[in-house]
């Protein structure tokens, strides 16, 4: 957690201010009486906090009053967030890609850009990611002072409290002081939030799916990329909460003494079902003279996930066999995860699931292996993979931290 460095109005921010602000943010436009009912706080507390937030320019009141059903026909004005009151930057670094975005307080993206060059080193990635900031600010007509927070995310095991990347085995990154590095490279003195990139996506989804998640107090986000993670997002009573751990499910053992994983163990899910694993299997097939359709699509280059999906859809049977085997393993893993921590909704985000038959197979395997006697209630939803979801999620995390700590 970050300390409160720059409150909107010093001295008056409290835990109830955060609860009121989050309720307006995630449920607004909303009447004061509804906030009081939801949070179980007195109307006087709500009034003090709402007035404070209006004075700070974060919240506005509707011009027209609506009928207040709780107050015997009296009319009340609803309150909502001022979308352009604050702006945030989100950055994701992923080795083969760095993505940046600028979003307003309500999550509208006003700038986005990506750099797709492959660099394996941490230093190059963090430096290039930060170097995209100036161009982003210029494009928006902003200076650093116009930014209320930077969210920065990457794959791997991240200690978000201390702003440190503990380890990213597949790239050999270890013990990196990410927050300090981002501060030094950008010169930004405001709040910098650091997270794992699957967790950041969960924050991004919580922000954009406000309506869907209004009365759902927990969800999991199963993210398949070069690694595999499954963070759990947990609310506390009626207040939007936060992610609980990255859920490094990529290293659950699916096959004793199985394939070698980037972490050094054998038989991890990641070694069978990550994008890297699928690409490796397909490349091996091509080297053995199989996957002819894929080979013709690649034209001498190593296969990409897009090539693999195209080949599968065009009927390359060798590719289909490899993909099915990866999806099968993912289905088993998902069933295990749900048996362990049954969430109301599991969102599934992976390039393979742009193909309808892969979605169908996954759901079949999940439902065959899930203990339905115990966990009948989890709903599975597929997320359209998006190049910008990590950076958008990082900005959403920075917004979330502002709402939580009053650090604008
Ligand atoms: Zn592993």
């Amino acid at each position: 957690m970050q300390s409160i460095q720059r409150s909107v109005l010093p001295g008056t921010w409290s835990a109830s201010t955060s609860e009121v602000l989050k309720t307006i943010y995630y449920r607004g436009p909303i009447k004061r009486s509804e906030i009081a009912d939801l949070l179980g706080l007195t109307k006087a507390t709500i009034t003090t906090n709402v007035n404070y937030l209006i004075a700070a320019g974060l919240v506005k009141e509707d011009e027209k009053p609506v009928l207040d059903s709780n107050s015997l026909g009296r009319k009340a004005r609803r309150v909502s967030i001022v979308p352009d009151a604050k702006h945030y930057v989100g950055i994701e670094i992923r080795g083969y890609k760095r993505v940046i975005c600028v979003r307003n307080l309500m999550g509208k993206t006003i700038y986005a850009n990506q750099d797709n060059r492959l660099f394996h080193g941490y230093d190059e990635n963090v430096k290039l990611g930060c170097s995209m900031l100036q161009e982003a600010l210029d494009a928006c007509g902003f200076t650093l002072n116009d930014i209320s927070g930077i969210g920065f995310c990457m794959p791997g095991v991240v200690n978000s409290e201390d702003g440190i990347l503990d380890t990213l085995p597949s790239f050999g990154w270890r013990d990196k002081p990410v927050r300090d590095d981002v501060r030094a490279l950008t010169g930004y003195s405001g709040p910098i939030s650091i997270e794992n990139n699957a967790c950041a996506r969960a924050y991004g989804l919580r922000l954009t799916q406000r309506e869907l998640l209004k009365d759902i107090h927990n969800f999991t986000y199963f993210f398949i990329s070069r690694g595999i993670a499954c963070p759990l997002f947990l609310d506390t009573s009626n207040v939007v909460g936060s992610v609980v751990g990255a859920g490094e499910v990529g290293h659950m053992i699916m096959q004793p003494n199985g394939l070698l994983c980037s972490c050094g163990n054998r038989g991890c899910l990641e070694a069978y079902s990550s994008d890297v694993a699928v690409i490796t299997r397909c490349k091996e097939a091509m080297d053995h003279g199989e996957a002819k359709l894929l080979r013709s699509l690649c034209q001498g280059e190593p296969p990409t996930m897009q090539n693999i999906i195209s080949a599968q859809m065009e009927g390359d049977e060798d590719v289909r066999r490899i993909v099915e085997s990866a999806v099968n393993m993912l289905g088993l893993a998902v069933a295990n995860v749900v048996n362990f921590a049954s969430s109301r909704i599991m969102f599934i985000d992976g390039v393979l699931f742009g193909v309808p038959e892969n979605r169908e197979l996954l759901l079949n395997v999940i439902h065959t292996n899930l203990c339905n006697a115990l966990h009948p209630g989890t709903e599975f939803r597929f997320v359209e993979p998006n190049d910008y979801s990590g950076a958008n999620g990082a900005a959403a995390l920075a917004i979330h931290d502002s709402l939580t700590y009053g650090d604008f």
Side-chain angles (χ1 to χ4, degrees), residues 82-104:
V82 179
D84 287 317
K86 302 286 169 187
H87 290 88
Y88 295 82
V89 169
I91 300 174
E92 181 184 32
I93 58 170
R94 304 176 72 182
Y96 56 98
K97 184 177 292 214
R98 285 142 306 274
V99 186
I100 187 166
C101 72
V102 181
R103 305 183 90 177
N104 75 8

Side-chain angles (χ1 to χ4, degrees), residues 107-187:
K108 183 182 170 200
T109 300
I110 57 170
Y111 174 88
N113 193 13
Q114 57 175 312
D115 164 20
N116 291 311
R117 289 169 296 165
L118 175 70
F119 291 99
H120 281 104
Y122 165 81
D123 290 343
E124 292 150 314
N125 273 282
V126 74
K127 209 175 282 178
L128 283 167
C130 290
S131 73
M132 296 164 83
L133 177 61
Q134 194 53 53
E135 196 181 326
L137 294 177
D138 290 347
C140 299
F142 290 159
T143 68
L144 274 179
N145 290 333
D146 297 313
I147 298 301
S148 294
I150 294 179
F152 198 92
C153 73
M154 72 223 76
V157 179
V158 174
N159 173 344
S160 55
E161 204 171 316
D162 297 334
I164 287 169
L165 172 73
D166 286 339
T167 177
L168 174 56
S170 53
F171 281 177
W173 300 356
R174 193 173 283 278
D175 300 326
K176 301 295 183 189
V178 185
R179 182 178 291 137
D180 291 348
D181 289 343
V182 172
R183 199 175 293 294
L185 288 161
T186 59

Side-chain angles (χ1 to χ4, degrees), residues 75-312:
K75 288 188 168 182
R77 289 175 203 275
R78 295 184 306 179
V79 288
S80 59
I81 298 291
V82 179
D84 287 317
K86 302 286 169 187
H87 290 88
Y88 295 82
V89 169
I91 300 174
E92 181 184 32
I93 58 170
R94 304 176 72 182
Y96 56 98
K97 184 177 292 214
R98 285 142 306 274
V99 186
I100 187 166
C101 72
V102 181
R103 305 183 90 177
N104 75 8
L105 181 56
M106 285 306 281
K108 183 182 170 200
T109 300
I110 57 170
Y111 174 88
N113 193 13
Q114 57 175 312
D115 164 20
N116 291 311
R117 289 169 296 165
L118 175 70
F119 291 99
H120 281 104
Y122 165 81
D123 290 343
E124 292 150 314
N125 273 282
V126 74
K127 209 175 282 178
L128 283 167
C130 290
S131 73
M132 296 164 83
L133 177 61
Q134 194 53 53
E135 196 181 326
L137 294 177
D138 290 347
C140 299
F142 290 159
T143 68
L144 274 179
N145 290 333
D146 297 313
I147 298 301
S148 294
I150 294 179
F152 198 92
C153 73
M154 72 223 76
V157 179
V158 174
N159 173 344
S160 55
E161 204 171 316
D162 297 334
I164 287 169
L165 172 73
D166 286 339
T167 177
L168 174 56
S170 53
F171 281 177
W173 300 356
R174 193 173 283 278
D175 300 326
K176 301 295 183 189
V178 185
R179 182 178 291 137
D180 291 348
D181 289 343
V182 172
R183 199 175 293 294
L185 288 161
T186 59
Y188 182 63
S189 60
I192 300 175
S193 308
I194 308 292
E195 248 309 355
N196 162 275
N197 64 349
C199 297
R201 281 170 170 79
Y203 282 103
L205 188 125
R206 186 64 189 83
L207 188 153
T208 51
Q209 299 291 328
R210 282 187 289 265
E211 195 51 42
L212 171 70
L213 296 171
K214 200 156 75 177
D215 297 308
I216 290 172
H217 295 297
N218 61 72
F219 68 87
T220 39
Y221 194 100
F222 202 96
F223 179 57
I224 308 115
S225 175
R226 293 176 72 89
I228 301 171
C230 185
L232 168 65
F233 197 104
L234 214 53
D235 288 349
T236 49
S237 63
N238 273 322
V239 180
V240 169
S242 57
V243 160
V244 189
E248 289 291 339
V249 296
H251 301 286
M252 71 163 85
I253 307 295
M254 304 301 292
Q255 185 83 56
N257 299 313
L259 294 173
L260 187 65
C261 177
S262 64
C263 72
N265 275 0
R266 285 191 172 274
C268 296
L269 175 65
E270 203 168 293
Y272 294 89
S273 301
S274 68
D275 290 357
V276 176
V278 171
I279 289 170
T280 306
R281 291 298 103 67
C282 286
K283 202 170 165 303
E284 284 165 3
M286 284 162 61
D287 291 344
H288 287 103
E290 299 167 359
K292 291 201 168 62
L293 223 159
L294 176 61
R295 199 143 36 116
S296 70
L297 289 174
C298 294
Q299 298 181 327
E301 297 287 319
T304 64
M305 286 307 285
Q306 286 315 321
N307 296 145
I308 289 167
I309 281 168
S310 303
Q312 185 195 358

Side-chain angles (χ1 to χ4, degrees), residues 380-402:
F380 298 95
R381 284 178 175 249
F382 291 93
V383 175
E384 280 311 320
N386 179 329
D387 281 349
Y388 295 93
S389 58
N392 279 334
L397 164 70
I399 295 170
H400 181 273
D401 282 351
S402 275

